[in-house]
Amino acid sequence: MPPIPDSESWPTGLSEQLEPLVRRVLAPNPSPYTFTGTQTYIVGAGTEVAVIDPGPNDTGVSGHADTNGEGHVDAILKAVGDAKIVAIVCTHTHRDHSPASRPLKAVTGAPIIGCAPLAMDDDGPRADTAFDADYAPDRVLTDGERISADGWTLEAVATPGHTSNHLCFSLVESGALFTGDHVMGWSTSVVSPPDGDMAAYMQSLQKLHDREDRVLYPAHGPQIDNPRQLVRGMLGHRRQRERQILRVLEDDGPHAIPEFVGAMYKGLDPRLNGAAGRSVLAHLIDLERQGRVRVEDERWMIHA
């Protein structure tokens, strides 16, 4: 996993033009889970724009992905300038993505549109950032639904897996796809049960692989100019992890989750051990559903 680049390479609070209809503003929340921070995208070049993933709001919990969003709403408003925000669009409801939707709506009156709300109790310590329990959309989009305004059209692409409510958004006019946390430009996504689902995540990856998007704009890390190649590699990586889990069990017998992490993730930043464990658990649950492994007293083994 690459180190977080210096702030001069990834300045926060500035509007960066990526293509005629797309600008980016980086939130000040770098962390082991967000890389340089959450990237908010402004779509539109005319009098009406959309804001995708408005990001964290003010100061959060140290060490998590929502560590700091202070000043980010002001930076978004400055980048938008005299244009009218007509949609505040959220890919999913982790706290580094959706909380700033509320203060942005309060200032602009724009509706919050996109993923469904999600409230849940986890079954164990989370390594990924917590959900935004206060997220309240004015309109929920389903797969294929569109919103449009002055010179732009966004189409929802349902991509459950990282979270059950995750959506990507296609910019119809340019062939760009905003991928949230489903596909990122710096790391693989954490899939954390019970809401995160590895089988759904793999199906969603295949769905993106079968599309013909020109460029992917993730919420974290650089843009992806070779979408199919990268997604194909991500599918292969997840299949390799599954094979690795089965080899560990076949060669060394039953394992608990921390033992898998130690065997499979050599040289991992210790702060990410929890995240790795959650993704291992997601693979094991998928393998259990296939009848290939079973669990007994929190130790996983080959299904005899």
Side-chain angles (χ1 to χ4, degrees), residues 241-300:
R241 284 294 189 203
E242 181 180 280
R243 291 193 296 268
Q244 192 177 14
I245 287 170
L246 292 171
R247 282 200 304 270
V248 167
L249 293 178
E250 290 165 354
D251 294 345
D252 300 320
H255 274 58
I257 297 294
E259 295 168 335
F260 280 107
V261 174
M264 294 169 55
Y265 292 83
K266 303 297 185 183
L268 182 68
D269 184 333
R271 293 173 295 179
L272 297 174
N273 282 345
R278 301 303 285 180
S279 285
V280 168
L281 176 60
H283 275 294
L284 286 165
I285 290 172
D286 186 27
L287 289 167
E288 183 182 34
R289 289 172 181 162
Q290 298 173 36
R292 303 176 72 182
V293 303
R294 63 186 179 91
V295 62
E296 187 175 313
D297 296 327
E298 299 186 357
R299 296 185 68 78
W300 294 83

Side-chain angles (χ1 to χ4, degrees), residues 74-143:
D74 289 339
I76 293 170
L77 293 171
K78 182 178 180 181
V80 168
D82 294 332
K84 180 182 180 181
I85 299 175
V86 296
I88 301 167
V89 181
C90 296
T91 61
H92 65 298
T93 50
H94 276 154
R95 285 207 310 262
D96 59 321
H97 287 259
S98 59
S101 63
R102 293 182 288 281
L104 194 58
K105 177 181 177 178
V107 172
T108 65
I112 300 169
I113 300 174
C115 67
L118 181 66
M120 57 165 289
D121 295 323
D122 204 344
D123 65 349
R126 290 196 64 86
D128 197 11
T129 186
F131 291 101
D132 173 14
D134 297 322
Y135 171 73
D138 297 287
R139 178 184 172 190
V140 173
L141 298 181
T142 58
D143 189 51

Side-chain angles (χ1 to χ4, degrees), residues 198-226:
M198 188 58 70
Y201 180 71
M202 294 290 283
Q203 290 168 4
S204 295
L205 281 180
Q206 187 63 51
K207 181 177 184 176
L208 291 200
H209 181 268
D210 294 341
R211 291 174 56 88
E212 296 183 355
D213 300 297
R214 175 183 58 84
V215 62
L216 307 184
Y217 292 125
H220 309 284
Q223 71 184 53
I224 297 154
D225 296 315
N226 53 345

Side-chain angles (χ1 to χ4, degrees), residues 54-60 66 68-70 72-73 95-96 99-103:
N57 183 30
D58 298 326
T59 301
D66 61 337
N68 182 23
E70 193 169 4
H72 189 52
V73 169
R95 285 207 310 262
D96 59 321
S101 63
R102 293 182 288 281

Side-chain angles (χ1 to χ4, degrees), residues 158-181:
T159 48
H162 173 64
T163 61
S164 61
N165 62 349
H166 197 287
L167 296 175
C168 295
F169 292 95
S170 169
L171 179 56
V172 175
E173 287 77 8
S174 82
L177 185 73
F178 302 92
T179 58
D181 281 359

